[in-house]
Amino acid sequence: MIDKFRGKYFFLSNFYVAPVEYQGLTYQNNEAAFQSAKAKIKKDKEKFIDLLAAEAKKLGRQIELRDDWEDVKIDVMHEICMAKFTQNLLLKEKLLATGTEELVEGNNHGDTFWGCVNGKGENHLGKILMKVREELS
């Protein structure tokens, strides 16, 4: 089991710097692409293009959310993760090299939706990455 996306496995993190094109815009990392996808208007989406992941996460808390966000956020994350690993071939190889390992986004910042804290959580990001790995193999 890979239980945290740091060190050797930091490339699995949405904070890893790897350009990703999503819906016609190119972002510096998955976090920026994901946070921009929350935006109701295109002008807000464009604000995320050059942001580091932490800056994007902060801005994502300040924009007006699209009305269907809670219904689509898991599918959006899947699309963005698929884009990251199909557009960055070295990262695709590294993801595939994780084989059949369970991927768990272990964290200590309290995110039990996308990851797990002390072994508890829904781990949606880990599940999405395992699905992407399966789809790419």
Side-chain angles (χ1 to χ4, degrees):
M1 176 191 315
I2 296 167
D3 62 358
K4 55 183 145 306
F5 302 163
R6 291 189 287 279
K8 177 180 176 182
Y9 298 108
F10 183 55
F11 75 94
L12 295 167
S13 170
N14 284 339
F15 278 51
Y16 186 82
V17 176
V20 61
E21 187 273 324
Y22 182 68
Q23 295 187 335
L25 298 173
T26 301
Y27 304 92
Q28 303 307 308
N29 53 72
N30 267 26
E31 188 67 24
F34 180 74
Q35 295 295 333
S36 79
K38 293 178 170 183
K40 196 168 193 169
I41 58 174
K42 184 172 183 177
K43 185 177 177 184
D44 282 344
K45 292 178 184 297
E46 294 170 347
K47 294 177 182 177
F48 292 88
I49 291 173
D50 292 318
L51 296 184
L52 298 174
E55 297 167 329
K57 189 170 186 173
K58 183 178 179 182
L59 181 60
R61 294 187 189 110
Q62 300 168 13
I63 58 167
E64 184 179 358
L65 296 182
R66 53 192 272 189
D67 297 332
D68 63 348
W69 182 244
E70 289 302 316
D71 298 326
V72 302
K73 66 184 178 183
I74 292 175
D75 290 334
V76 168
M77 182 66 83
H78 177 266
E79 291 170 2
I80 291 169
C81 287
M82 182 60 80
K84 173 183 178 177
F85 291 102
T86 55
Q87 295 169 22
N88 297 280
L89 297 182
L90 179 59
L91 298 182
K92 175 184 175 182
E93 290 174 21
K94 290 174 79 167
L95 176 63
L96 293 175
T98 64
T100 59
E101 291 280 347
E102 182 179 3
L103 304 178
V104 177
E105 200 279 310
N107 68 81
N108 58 10
H109 54 268
D111 185 348
T112 57
F113 182 81
W114 294 110
C116 290
V117 178
N118 298 323
K120 299 203 184 315
E122 297 178 54
N123 192 38
H124 285 289
L125 180 58
K127 291 173 184 174
I128 287 168
L129 291 171
M130 289 183 285
K131 182 177 179 185
V132 167
R133 178 179 65 196
E134 183 180 325
E135 291 168 342
L136 293 176
S137 62

